[in-house]
Amino acid sequence: MLVALVICVLYAPLFHRTGFDSHEHAWTYLRVIEYEQEFAAGHLPANFTSAFGGATHAFPFFYPPVAYWLTTGIASIMGDVVLAVHASFLLSVLASALGMSLLARRLTGDWVLSAAAGLAYATLPYRFVVVLTRGALAESWSLVWFPFLLLALLGVAERKRRAWVSAAVLGAVIILTHSITALYFAIGATVLAVAFGVFDRREPFVEVVASAAASVALAAWFVVPQMVYMRELWVSDPGVMWTTPEYVSAQAVPATTFFLGSPPQVGMRLWVGLPGLMLFPLSVLSLRRVGQSHRAYRIGLLCLRTWLCFAVLQLGPALWVGWVPAPFRYVQFPWRLLGVSGLLSVLGCVLFLHSFTRGRSRVRWIVLAAVSGMALLPYPDMREAQVMSEWTDRFLREALGTRLAWPGMTAQGEYIPRAVPRGWMQSPPHLSPPVADSGARLLTWFGNRDVLHVRAEGPGRITFPLFAYPFYQAVVDGVENEFGVRANRGFLASTIPSGVHRLSIVRRVPPWQAVGWGISAAAVAILGVACMLRPCESARSADNRWP
């Protein structure tokens, strides 16, 4: 309760009834409204129908959905999108504190240090940046799942019953929350799995490999169509998405900002925080107290070494960005790794403190008090947000389709076809009604732009003011019709025979998404059978006992 109270005080801007401006502007609120409307209408796959003046924007089809699903569910309960987004942010912070506390308690058996760990993880400088400066909802929720996955991996090492299934599900949730962060967290998770002893014996090793494969398979319903169809969108262009080696290299975090928090970069305190600064002295104290053979010290030392590797990634991206696979460059800004490195620093500090304070209960209370105090003191500007008094639920719902939602509720408008010129996205013309050509003549069309009647003297073509996404299908007189994409603009077009016809646009699961759904369904079935058939030890192995 004390930890939750301190967190609520520190994140006070989330208790405002009006929205706050961030690097995401009002887009986080507007996206949730779009999700609400799409789910209420039963539209699958979901699409942002009011974006780009009605040409739509397939953000839900290509962006990991878990964080927005959770927030949309909260919004349906609370009835106010502003309160729902703020509640989602606050819940993500509280849940991440809970996850880190449980992980620390599992590793140390000390609830005082566990409380300090949860508070430290929730009040890392970058945590405030993610929530109050960047407004990054998906990244905020990704930080929730990391300690829970480590708990599951620890359960695998201890031969806990069905822990590998929990690891598989959590791995899929991380992929479906923030895919880019998941790539880098996989590195840290692998290192810690080694430290936990997962790879010391054949059975846990096989289970971890199986859970990793199952995680990808469970997320295949989203990942497979995303990877296939994304190649036709502007998001696959490195120049548009700022993922070229030259750009990523130029985003190195200055050493003074990284270690001292000053000067801020683009209004952000890109600081490792006190846990990062305390790793080195605590490792020395722990070594002198218990020596190298103590298990907590050895895992803490591995956290320190991995943290150093992530520090190099952030301070010197030019050293690695040129040779890593292209997906790793989609991190765009190396300082986004502060979330993963923050987890490593907190976990390392807790393990060093555990080995150093054995038998010293008073020291543990001092540590908890110090963490609470230090969370309140440095750089109070980190805890401020630019509250917009006019951003109420009603105002934001009326703002859909206006300049406030431009371009498509993302920074680059990146989820539109590459056939659409970038100049159109930056300054779009007024979208006209559907266009008839090649012998066709438009008779009537309805306001939703996806149902119309046409007369064709001969075979003709109708071009709709909708971007040509793979889940759209033209229906002519009740029969699905293959459509062609207008080459110079990327809008949806359908050929029609001669005569008078009724055309409509419907949404269908595209072929590659059907493949992904099949893989995910097979993974669910295999996991279910494995849970029923595979025997597991219900008790911990003596040589893996914690703490």
Side-chain angles (χ1 to χ4, degrees):
M1 290 298 295
L2 175 62
V3 171
L5 179 61
V6 172
I7 289 173
C8 289
V9 170
L10 294 175
Y11 288 87
L14 296 179
F15 289 90
H16 284 277
R17 294 189 60 87
T18 58
F20 61 90
D21 197 8
S22 66
H23 291 184
E24 294 290 315
H25 305 294
W27 299 331
T28 302
Y29 306 102
L30 298 177
R31 291 169 190 162
V32 175
I33 295 172
E34 286 277 14
Y35 272 103
E36 265 191 316
Q37 295 179 352
E38 286 291 275
F39 291 158
H43 288 164
L44 291 174
N47 194 12
F48 287 174
T49 54
S50 66
F52 293 112
T56 75
H57 195 202
F59 178 95
F61 192 81
F62 294 101
Y63 192 86
V66 166
Y68 283 96
W69 284 355
L70 290 171
T71 309
T72 304
I74 297 172
S76 66
I77 296 172
M78 302 186 72
D80 188 302
V81 69
V82 174
L83 296 181
V85 170
H86 294 181
S88 181
F89 274 123
L90 186 61
L91 283 174
S92 71
V93 177
L94 292 170
S96 61
L98 174 63
M100 178 55 76
S101 295
L102 293 175
L103 178 60
R105 179 67 183 272
R106 191 73 195 85
L107 289 169
T108 66
D110 189 317
W111 73 269
V112 177
L113 285 181
S114 301
L119 181 58
Y121 185 54
T123 58
L124 286 167
Y126 186 64
R127 204 68 171 85
F128 291 106
V129 168
V130 166
V131 174
L132 300 178
T133 305
R134 295 184 55 220
L137 186 64
E139 194 170 343
S140 183
W141 273 101
S142 72
L143 297 174
V144 173
W145 315 124
F146 294 165
F148 286 104
L149 178 57
L150 294 178
L151 265 173
L153 291 177
L154 189 59
V156 172
E158 299 173 338
R159 306 294 292 123
K160 283 282 191 177
R161 189 173 181 83
R162 299 188 181 93
W164 68 282
V165 177
S166 300
V169 173
L170 285 165
V173 170
I174 291 174
I175 294 172
L176 294 172
T177 301
H178 201 255
S179 305
I180 303 305
T181 309
L183 281 175
Y184 287 92
F185 175 69
I187 300 173
T190 302
V191 172
L192 289 171
V194 173
F196 294 159
V198 168
F199 301 119
D200 292 349
R201 293 180 298 165
R202 185 180 66 86
E203 292 85 354
F205 172 76
V206 171
E207 288 186 351
V208 164
V209 172
S211 67
S215 294
V216 177
L218 288 171
W221 66 269
F222 173 81
V223 174
V224 169
Q226 181 199 45
M227 294 295 101
V228 173
Y229 297 121
M230 197 169 64
R231 293 176 293 183
E232 303 172 2
L233 308 181
W234 280 111
V235 69
S236 64
D237 188 304
V240 171
M241 292 305 297
W242 306 329
T243 60
T244 60
E246 296 76 17
Y247 184 88
V248 178
S249 299
Q251 306 307 310
V253 182
T256 54
T257 302
F258 188 76
F259 290 105
L260 302 177
S262 185
Q265 303 293 309
V266 200
M268 298 181 292
R269 296 282 182 186
L270 304 178
W271 181 33
V272 297
L274 294 173
L277 299 180
M278 295 300 295
L279 267 176
F280 292 97
L282 287 176
S283 67
V284 174
L285 292 173
S286 178
L287 176 63
R288 294 182 62 183
R289 170 84 171 161
V290 299
Q292 296 183 0
S293 61
H294 194 268
R295 193 172 191 183
Y297 172 80
R298 286 189 281 112
I299 297 178
L301 187 61
L302 200 55
C303 289
L304 170 58
R305 290 171 177 171
T306 311
W307 181 88
L308 286 173
C309 292
F310 276 96
V312 172
L313 296 181
Q314 296 167 74
L315 295 171
L319 299 174
W320 57 272
V321 73
W323 55 268
V324 298
F328 284 87
R329 293 198 289 271
Y330 270 78
V331 72
Q332 299 171 308
F333 309 99
W335 42 258
R336 293 171 83 176
L337 303 179
L338 280 167
V340 179
S341 58
L343 179 145
L344 292 168
S345 65
V346 171
L347 189 57
C349 284
V350 167
L351 291 168
F352 288 143
L353 282 167
H354 171 62
S355 56
F356 173 68
T357 60
R358 295 180 67 186
R360 302 177 178 181
S361 59
R362 184 177 300 178
V363 175
R364 297 188 181 96
W365 282 103
I366 294 173
V367 168
L368 178 59
V371 170
S372 303
M374 289 186 293
L376 297 167
L377 293 179
Y379 300 125
D381 60 298
M382 294 189 306
R383 306 190 297 271
E384 297 175 355
Q386 186 178 352
V387 178
M388 309 296 287
S389 59
E390 69 274 17
W391 284 8
T392 61
D393 177 82
R394 179 177 179 180
F395 173 85
L396 292 168
R397 291 183 185 277
E398 293 173 352
L400 283 178
T402 68
R403 295 296 300 184
L404 192 65
W406 205 268
M409 287 162 276
T410 63
Q412 303 296 319
E414 58 266 31
Y415 301 112
I416 62 175
R418 296 184 70 160
V420 179
R422 292 298 294 171
W424 188 96
M425 194 280 292
Q426 297 297 337
S427 182
H430 176 69
L431 286 175
S432 60
V435 177
D437 57 18
S438 301
R441 182 163 60 92
L442 186 67
L443 294 181
T444 60
W445 71 289
F446 300 93
N448 57 7
R449 302 187 182 189
D450 57 8
V451 179
L452 60 145
H453 290 87
V454 296
R455 179 190 298 277
E457 303 298 337
R461 181 176 64 180
I462 298 294
T463 301
F464 293 84
L466 297 169
F467 291 137
Y469 289 120
F471 48 77
Y472 278 139
Q473 179 68 56
V475 176
V476 180
D477 299 329
V479 179
E480 293 189 3
N481 180 37
E482 292 294 330
F483 59 82
V485 176
R486 195 169 179 175
N488 65 335
R489 294 190 65 182
F491 285 92
L492 181 65
S494 176
T495 57
I496 56 170
S498 59
V500 178
H501 304 281
R502 182 181 188 274
L503 270 70
S504 61
I505 300 299
V506 296
R507 304 187 200 187
R508 295 286 187 263
V509 174
W512 281 105
Q513 189 171 47
V515 171
W517 274 112
I519 296 172
S520 296
V524 171
I526 292 172
L527 282 176
V529 171
C531 285
M532 290 186 291
L533 298 182
R534 179 172 173 79
C536 293
E537 298 176 24
S538 59
R540 292 180 295 173
S541 177
D543 59 345
N544 280 305
R545 191 177 300 276
W546 289 92

